[in-house]
Amino acid sequence: MNEKQQLRVRKIKEGTVIDHIPAGKALLVLKILNITGEEGVVIAVVMNVESRKLGKKDIVKIEGRFLRMEELNKISLIAPTATINIIKDFKVYSKQRVSIPEKIKGILKCSNPSCITNQDREPVESSFTIISKTPLKVKCDYCDQIMVQKDIVLQLTGI
Ligand SMILES: [Zn+2]
């Protein structure tokens, strides 16, 4: 980003900047985090800005919010190129890339209704193995049900 583009969004004092989101996916990231804008905190969404790495990218800045591992894992499924910057006192305190975990446990629901992970009584925690990262494709460890990117995005965001 050049200086002019950086000025478009003011710096946050404390919180999280999610950078290098694939262009057009910022709103999905907000959905994953259950952010509606009614929380009253400063949220900045910048979409389709130039990126040396990605061509175009989105950026989300959230004041006063730090992300849990489960949220990072969800973001990795939809925005695998994202970098997470923790901001403290207006400075980048730490920076990390999200990474798609080898096994996805507990955050996705198997789309096979008769899967053991969907039983009402004593359900087993869901567990999926990544078959392909781009496009995303996962397989249920219990019933071998395949879920693709579209199913996963719909489940995580309702979009
Ligand atoms: Zn299953």
Side-chain angles (χ1 to χ4, degrees):
M1 280 206 296
N2 63 38
E3 197 182 2
K4 202 176 157 195
Q5 284 173 321
Q6 279 178 357
L7 287 174
R8 204 181 286 165
V9 181
R10 78 168 177 83
K11 287 186 172 182
I12 58 174
K13 179 165 189 262
E14 193 174 87
T16 304
V17 175
I18 309 166
D19 199 355
H20 300 107
I21 300 168
K25 306 275 191 203
L27 298 178
L28 294 180
V29 170
L30 289 176
K31 270 272 183 185
I32 284 177
L33 299 174
N34 286 316
I35 289 173
T36 62
E38 292 180 355
E39 294 79 8
V41 298
V42 174
I43 296 159
V45 179
V46 183
M47 297 179 78
N48 299 313
V49 290
E50 279 171 40
S51 157
R52 234 177 298 160
K53 264 196 260 175
L54 302 174
K56 281 187 173 180
K57 67 175 181 179
D58 290 359
I59 306 166
V60 170
K61 299 186 179 193
I62 312 158
E63 182 98 54
R65 173 90 182 258
F66 301 100
L67 306 183
R68 288 176 284 124
M69 187 50 81
E70 187 192 314
E71 293 174 321
L72 295 175
N73 286 340
K74 286 182 182 176
I75 290 172
S76 77
L77 297 178
I78 281 170
T81 51
T83 52
I84 309 292
N85 300 281
I86 308 284
I87 309 295
K88 287 187 175 169
D89 214 12
F90 295 106
K91 292 194 182 77
V92 177
Y93 175 79
S94 74
K95 191 174 194 156
Q96 66 169 112
R97 277 191 71 157
V98 297
S99 62
I100 298 178
E102 292 292 310
K103 291 270 183 196
I104 305 170
K105 287 181 181 286
I107 61 178
L108 289 176
K109 190 173 146 57
C110 182
S111 56
N112 169 12
S114 52
C115 178
I116 189 169
T117 61
N118 287 325
Q119 299 313 303
D120 290 339
R121 284 188 180 190
E122 300 176 47
V124 176
E125 184 186 53
S126 71
S127 177
F128 292 86
T129 301
I130 306 283
I131 299 174
S132 153
K133 289 187 177 178
T134 40
L136 186 61
K137 204 173 178 185
V138 302
K139 189 172 88 171
C140 176
D141 291 334
Y142 293 98
C143 72
D144 292 342
Q145 178 87 348
I146 301 283
M147 289 174 61
V148 297
Q149 182 121 21
K150 214 175 115 205
D151 308 322
I152 295 165
V153 170
L154 181 68
Q155 199 181 104
L156 292 178
T157 67
I159 296 173

